[in-house]
Amino acid sequence: MAVDDVDRRLLGLLQEDATQPYAVLGEAVGLSAGAAHERVRKLKASGVIRRTTIEVDPAALGRGVLAYVLLDADAWMGDKRAALEAIGAVEEAHVIAGPASVLVKVRAGTTEELQQTLRALHQVDGVTSTQTVVVLESFFERPPAVV
Amino acid sequence: MAVDDVDRRLLGLLQEDATQPYAVLGEAVGLSAGAAHERVRKLKASGVIRRTTIEVDPAALGRGVLAYVLLDADAWMGDKRAALEAIGAVEEAHVIAGPASVLVKVRAGTTEELQQTLRALHQVDGVTSTQTVVVLESFFERPPAVV
DNA sequence: GCTGAAACACCTCACTT
DNA sequence: AAGTGAGGTGTTTCAGC
């Protein structure tokens, strides 16, 4: 789908606050409420907007420990998506180029829970070793830029 | 704030689709619409719910290249938040324990743009070297677990 | 593809249990 | 703290340009 500059501005406004009335969105980009609504409808229909969701504070839910873990493997890891997805503390999993095979983002409640997650990662078929990078302070985590 | 099991179920439902009427949310957890609304209002007021937002498809917006970059530094990096935040392609920045100082998540449109971002990272005061991990395939990126 | 108005559904709030 | 019902508001739809 063709996404023009007005669409991108609408996406930015919706990222900040998806509860705004279409009249306000339209005014911000120089459109009527109806026209703004039509733009957003198409962005949703085409998949540019995947869903409307809430952003939660992980620390408030008892997940204040963040870490990234590099997984080394002695087998092809391309079919290990389900095994990684089954580990609740794993927030992201990526196949990577370079020394290791897979990079996962882990958010745990405590260092003990982080250790349990590392054990679970070791038990995934093919994984031979892990390197853990513990986050001391997060400067920011923000959504993808739309401009 | 005390977050009980019903709150967590509401958070999960809202993560999936924040446009659902409170009547539907309430029914799913065994509450009336008004009671469900009151729960959600408190979750927002206390900051457990940071905001209502949209989830966009980065690839549809021309940001199909994902990489993680480890930054080594010869100075304290704790005051470099603003410098990193100013680089639009940097989606996350974390101070880490271990060999490197800072870990950043970069989403670029092309490998050329990734290279430009690496140059910008090198120009941040204190950064002495970078190690880049390029993502070949993302298994998944999902929001923090609420349960 | 954009504009504008009318029907509809939802949210909100005060009151009750 | 949760349920109920009335009132106000935003959204949605549709015809017209």
PDB file of all heavy atoms in Angstrom, chain A residues 12 29 32 40 49 53 56 59 67 75 84 88 90 107 116 128 133 140:
ATOM      1  N   GLY A  12       1.847   8.676  13.428  1.00  0.00           N
ATOM      2  CA  GLY A  12       2.561   9.241  14.576  1.00  0.00           C
ATOM      3  C   GLY A  12       1.618   9.712  15.663  1.00  0.00           C
ATOM      4  O   GLY A  12       1.844   9.472  16.851  1.00  0.00           O
ATOM      5  N   VAL A  29      -3.926  17.217  10.689  1.00  0.00           N
ATOM      6  CA  VAL A  29      -3.278  16.979   9.393  1.00  0.00           C
ATOM      7  C   VAL A  29      -3.994  17.709   8.256  1.00  0.00           C
ATOM      8  O   VAL A  29      -3.642  17.526   7.089  1.00  0.00           O
ATOM      9  CB  VAL A  29      -3.214  15.466   9.070  1.00  0.00           C
ATOM     10  CG1 VAL A  29      -2.441  14.725  10.140  1.00  0.00           C
ATOM     11  CG2 VAL A  29      -4.615  14.872   8.913  1.00  0.00           C
ATOM     12  N   SER A  32     -10.888  16.508   7.177  1.00  0.00           N
ATOM     13  CA  SER A  32     -12.113  16.362   7.962  1.00  0.00           C
ATOM     14  C   SER A  32     -12.054  15.062   8.751  1.00  0.00           C
ATOM     15  O   SER A  32     -11.221  14.191   8.486  1.00  0.00           O
ATOM     16  CB  SER A  32     -13.321  16.326   7.039  1.00  0.00           C
ATOM     17  OG  SER A  32     -13.348  15.109   6.341  1.00  0.00           O
ATOM     18  N   VAL A  40      -7.338   6.076   8.086  1.00  0.00           N
ATOM     19  CA  VAL A  40      -6.963   5.115   9.122  1.00  0.00           C
ATOM     20  C   VAL A  40      -7.570   3.746   8.823  1.00  0.00           C
ATOM     21  O   VAL A  40      -6.925   2.710   9.016  1.00  0.00           O
ATOM     22  CB  VAL A  40      -7.402   5.629  10.509  1.00  0.00           C
ATOM     23  CG1 VAL A  40      -7.146   4.576  11.573  1.00  0.00           C
ATOM     24  CG2 VAL A  40      -6.671   6.923  10.840  1.00  0.00           C
ATOM     25  N   ILE A  49      -1.245  -0.677  10.005  1.00  0.00           N
ATOM     26  CA  ILE A  49      -1.605  -0.707  11.431  1.00  0.00           C
ATOM     27  C   ILE A  49      -2.010  -2.135  11.755  1.00  0.00           C
ATOM     28  O   ILE A  49      -3.013  -2.627  11.242  1.00  0.00           O
ATOM     29  CB  ILE A  49      -2.763   0.262  11.745  1.00  0.00           C
ATOM     30  CG1 ILE A  49      -2.339   1.708  11.467  1.00  0.00           C
ATOM     31  CG2 ILE A  49      -3.214   0.103  13.200  1.00  0.00           C
ATOM     32  CD1 ILE A  49      -3.458   2.719  11.673  1.00  0.00           C
ATOM     33  N   THR A  53      -3.589  -1.279  20.658  1.00  0.00           N
ATOM     34  CA  THR A  53      -3.188  -2.020  21.845  1.00  0.00           C
ATOM     35  C   THR A  53      -2.845  -1.043  22.967  1.00  0.00           C
ATOM     36  O   THR A  53      -2.894   0.174  22.768  1.00  0.00           O
ATOM     37  CB  THR A  53      -1.976  -2.926  21.531  1.00  0.00           C
ATOM     38  OG1 THR A  53      -1.653  -3.713  22.662  1.00  0.00           O
ATOM     39  CG2 THR A  53      -0.776  -2.098  21.125  1.00  0.00           C
ATOM     40  N   VAL A  56       2.028  -1.316  28.419  1.00  0.00           N
ATOM     41  CA  VAL A  56       2.047  -1.528  29.864  1.00  0.00           C
ATOM     42  C   VAL A  56       3.427  -1.234  30.428  1.00  0.00           C
ATOM     43  O   VAL A  56       4.425  -1.237  29.708  1.00  0.00           O
ATOM     44  CB  VAL A  56       1.637  -2.974  30.215  1.00  0.00           C
ATOM     45  CG1 VAL A  56       0.254  -3.293  29.665  1.00  0.00           C
ATOM     46  CG2 VAL A  56       2.660  -3.968  29.721  1.00  0.00           C
ATOM     47  N   ALA A  59       7.648  -3.052  34.825  1.00  0.00           N
ATOM     48  CA  ALA A  59       8.073  -3.048  36.224  1.00  0.00           C
ATOM     49  C   ALA A  59       6.867  -3.098  37.160  1.00  0.00           C
ATOM     50  O   ALA A  59       6.900  -3.746  38.205  1.00  0.00           O
ATOM     51  CB  ALA A  59       8.923  -1.816  36.509  1.00  0.00           C
ATOM     52  N   ALA A  67      17.064  -8.561  30.041  1.00  0.00           N
ATOM     53  CA  ALA A  67      18.343  -9.104  29.572  1.00  0.00           C
ATOM     54  C   ALA A  67      18.220  -9.524  28.112  1.00  0.00           C
ATOM     55  O   ALA A  67      17.118  -9.818  27.625  1.00  0.00           O
ATOM     56  CB  ALA A  67      18.757 -10.302  30.417  1.00  0.00           C
ATOM     57  N   ALA A  75      22.923 -26.762  15.475  1.00  0.00           N
ATOM     58  CA  ALA A  75      21.961 -27.205  14.456  1.00  0.00           C
ATOM     59  C   ALA A  75      21.244 -25.969  13.929  1.00  0.00           C
ATOM     60  O   ALA A  75      21.352 -24.876  14.491  1.00  0.00           O
ATOM     61  CB  ALA A  75      20.958 -28.194  15.054  1.00  0.00           C
ATOM     62  N   LEU A  84      10.697 -21.276  21.453  1.00  0.00           N
ATOM     63  CA  LEU A  84      11.065 -20.027  22.125  1.00  0.00           C
ATOM     64  C   LEU A  84       9.820 -19.253  22.549  1.00  0.00           C
ATOM     65  O   LEU A  84       9.778 -18.637  23.612  1.00  0.00           O
ATOM     66  CB  LEU A  84      11.927 -19.181  21.190  1.00  0.00           C
ATOM     67  CG  LEU A  84      13.281 -19.814  20.836  1.00  0.00           C
ATOM     68  CD1 LEU A  84      13.958 -19.046  19.716  1.00  0.00           C
ATOM     69  CD2 LEU A  84      14.166 -19.859  22.071  1.00  0.00           C
ATOM     70  N   GLY A  88       7.495 -17.848  28.388  1.00  0.00           N
ATOM     71  CA  GLY A  88       6.771 -16.592  28.550  1.00  0.00           C
ATOM     72  C   GLY A  88       7.658 -15.377  28.714  1.00  0.00           C
ATOM     73  O   GLY A  88       7.316 -14.290  28.261  1.00  0.00           O
ATOM     74  N   VAL A  90      10.359 -14.706  27.284  1.00  0.00           N
ATOM     75  CA  VAL A  90      11.027 -14.327  26.030  1.00  0.00           C
ATOM     76  C   VAL A  90      10.104 -13.400  25.248  1.00  0.00           C
ATOM     77  O   VAL A  90       9.025 -13.790  24.809  1.00  0.00           O
ATOM     78  CB  VAL A  90      11.384 -15.567  25.188  1.00  0.00           C
ATOM     79  CG1 VAL A  90      11.943 -15.131  23.834  1.00  0.00           C
ATOM     80  CG2 VAL A  90      12.386 -16.438  25.918  1.00  0.00           C
ATOM     81  N   ARG A 107      12.457 -10.739  29.633  1.00  0.00           N
ATOM     82  CA  ARG A 107      12.041  -9.853  30.716  1.00  0.00           C
ATOM     83  C   ARG A 107      11.526 -10.712  31.862  1.00  0.00           C
ATOM     84  O   ARG A 107      10.518 -11.402  31.723  1.00  0.00           O
ATOM     85  CB  ARG A 107      10.952  -8.893  30.243  1.00  0.00           C
ATOM     86  CG  ARG A 107      10.966  -7.578  30.994  1.00  0.00           C
ATOM     87  CD  ARG A 107       9.849  -6.656  30.578  1.00  0.00           C
ATOM     88  NE  ARG A 107       9.957  -6.129  29.250  1.00  0.00           N
ATOM     89  CZ  ARG A 107      10.572  -4.987  28.933  1.00  0.00           C
ATOM     90  NH1 ARG A 107      11.155  -4.283  29.869  1.00  0.00           N
ATOM     91  NH2 ARG A 107      10.604  -4.564  27.686  1.00  0.00           N
ATOM     92  N   GLN A 116      16.098 -19.205  35.677  1.00  0.00           N
ATOM     93  CA  GLN A 116      15.195 -20.270  35.220  1.00  0.00           C
ATOM     94  C   GLN A 116      14.963 -20.174  33.714  1.00  0.00           C
ATOM     95  O   GLN A 116      14.879 -21.187  33.013  1.00  0.00           O
ATOM     96  CB  GLN A 116      13.850 -20.166  35.952  1.00  0.00           C
ATOM     97  CG  GLN A 116      13.921 -20.536  37.423  1.00  0.00           C
ATOM     98  CD  GLN A 116      12.634 -20.178  38.162  1.00  0.00           C
ATOM     99  OE1 GLN A 116      11.605 -19.940  37.528  1.00  0.00           O
ATOM    100  NE2 GLN A 116      12.702 -20.135  39.481  1.00  0.00           N
ATOM    101  N   THR A 128      23.712 -24.873  22.393  1.00  0.00           N
ATOM    102  CA  THR A 128      24.914 -25.406  23.047  1.00  0.00           C
ATOM    103  C   THR A 128      25.434 -24.489  24.139  1.00  0.00           C
ATOM    104  O   THR A 128      26.030 -24.953  25.100  1.00  0.00           O
ATOM    105  CB  THR A 128      26.028 -25.626  22.012  1.00  0.00           C
ATOM    106  OG1 THR A 128      26.259 -24.392  21.318  1.00  0.00           O
ATOM    107  CG2 THR A 128      25.623 -26.691  21.007  1.00  0.00           C
ATOM    108  N   VAL A 133      23.484 -10.754  28.384  1.00  0.00           N
ATOM    109  CA  VAL A 133      23.776  -9.339  28.594  1.00  0.00           C
ATOM    110  C   VAL A 133      22.670  -8.774  29.479  1.00  0.00           C
ATOM    111  O   VAL A 133      21.516  -8.701  29.057  1.00  0.00           O
ATOM    112  CB  VAL A 133      23.819  -8.581  27.253  1.00  0.00           C
ATOM    113  CG1 VAL A 133      23.974  -7.082  27.494  1.00  0.00           C
ATOM    114  CG2 VAL A 133      24.929  -9.122  26.363  1.00  0.00           C
ATOM    115  N   PHE A 140      15.612   4.223  26.957  1.00  0.00           N
ATOM    116  CA  PHE A 140      14.258   4.306  26.378  1.00  0.00           C
ATOM    117  C   PHE A 140      13.979   3.065  25.547  1.00  0.00           C
ATOM    118  O   PHE A 140      14.892   2.404  25.058  1.00  0.00           O
ATOM    119  CB  PHE A 140      14.097   5.578  25.526  1.00  0.00           C
ATOM    120  CG  PHE A 140      15.090   5.715  24.409  1.00  0.00           C
ATOM    121  CD1 PHE A 140      14.860   5.140  23.168  1.00  0.00           C
ATOM    122  CD2 PHE A 140      16.275   6.417  24.600  1.00  0.00           C
ATOM    123  CE1 PHE A 140      15.778   5.267  22.138  1.00  0.00           C
ATOM    124  CE2 PHE A 140      17.207   6.545  23.577  1.00  0.00           C
ATOM    125  CZ  PHE A 140      16.952   5.971  22.336  1.00  0.00           C
TER     126      PHE A 140
END
